[in-house]
Amino acid sequence: MTNKTLLNEYIYTLLIEEGLDGFTVLCLRDELLKISGEFNDVVEARKFLYRHLLQLEQKGLLETKGQGRKKTYHKSELFKTTEFKPKRRKSQKIEAVKRSHNKTLSLDELVWERRKYEAELAIALAEIEEFQLLSERLPSQKSSLLRLSEETREKSVRYLAKINVLNQALKLSNYVDIKC
């Protein structure tokens, strides 16, 4: 019996149609830039991929080997037995609870914003870990790397604060986030 899972159309193209396996984030980013004109910024493309790879890893569909820039992603046995379908990107149409002259946000927009900050927080935490690993490997750069790590930690605190505020706002409105 196979599982059916929706996969972002770009991730689907790279992992299923092109059959990539045993890749790094940077290698996958370069491939993404070849097939898509959507990403003008390599950093945004890397973040986009990292978010999706992290989700696939958490679901047990991808396994990792190594650390830092040498970290490679490999398809798991579960990945090989799962049936994937490409998920077409939705246009930016979101119905607002109230659309008036003051541009009231919809609850869906708040949930989307919260998910964006959760992904940014995950990236920031991974960067902190990488800075600390690098500071151990490069003792001569330790103070600079720890300073960068501290700046990223402060950024992660801001993301967490935003997530908490959005959660509280969603609780006030009795919003139920249905996850499939």
Side-chain angles (χ1 to χ4, degrees):
M1 181 177 189
T2 60
N3 300 319
K4 291 184 180 180
T5 303
L6 286 175
L7 206 55
N8 173 278
E9 63 184 331
Y10 296 131
I11 303 298
Y12 182 88
T13 300
L14 293 168
L15 299 185
I16 306 301
E17 292 177 359
E18 295 192 14
L20 295 178
D21 194 9
F23 50 84
T24 64
V25 174
L26 297 180
C27 172
L28 197 63
R29 179 203 64 196
D30 293 342
E31 293 300 316
L32 174 66
L33 294 173
K34 288 178 189 175
I35 66 167
S36 168
E38 184 175 335
F39 299 95
N40 297 326
D41 181 14
V42 293
V43 174
E44 288 304 313
R46 179 183 54 80
K47 288 180 181 180
F48 167 82
L49 288 170
Y50 182 77
R51 287 183 202 115
H52 286 281
L53 293 175
L54 184 62
Q55 287 176 342
L56 292 172
E57 183 182 2
Q58 289 170 344
K59 290 178 181 177
L61 295 167
L62 290 179
E63 298 170 345
T64 60
K65 294 181 184 173
Q67 291 182 345
R69 290 182 182 254
K70 294 184 179 185
K71 185 179 201 177
T72 56
Y73 292 84
H74 303 269
K75 295 175 182 174
S76 68
E77 288 303 315
L78 178 60
F79 186 99
K80 294 171 184 171
T81 61
T82 301
E83 182 181 327
F84 294 100
K85 290 187 177 185
K87 179 180 176 183
R88 301 291 172 208
R89 293 176 55 112
K90 294 179 183 176
S91 61
Q92 296 298 329
K93 297 178 186 173
I94 299 175
E95 285 189 38
V97 175
K98 261 193 210 174
R99 279 286 181 206
S100 61
H101 295 294
N102 64 1
K103 296 184 180 178
T104 303
L105 287 176
S106 74
L107 296 177
D108 288 338
E109 288 172 317
L110 291 178
V111 170
W112 179 86
E113 194 174 331
R114 180 186 64 189
R115 287 183 181 152
K116 180 181 83 168
Y117 288 129
E118 287 171 340
E120 293 293 338
L121 176 62
I123 291 168
L125 294 175
E127 287 175 358
I128 291 169
E129 184 179 332
E130 290 302 317
F131 281 130
Q132 291 176 347
L133 289 171
L134 271 176
S135 70
E136 292 170 9
R137 292 174 42 208
L138 299 169
S140 63
Q141 300 292 321
K142 186 171 186 167
S143 63
S144 297
L145 290 168
L146 291 178
R147 180 181 43 77
L148 291 171
S149 175
E150 181 60 25
E151 289 172 8
T152 305
R153 188 194 66 75
E154 291 169 5
K155 189 170 31 170
S156 72
V157 169
R158 287 192 297 274
Y159 289 137
L160 187 56
K162 290 178 181 185
I163 292 167
N164 288 339
V165 168
L166 290 168
N167 281 336
Q168 291 173 10
L170 290 167
K171 281 182 187 176
L172 288 174
S173 63
N174 294 323
Y175 183 80
V176 178
D177 188 12
I178 300 170
K179 294 182 180 177
C180 298

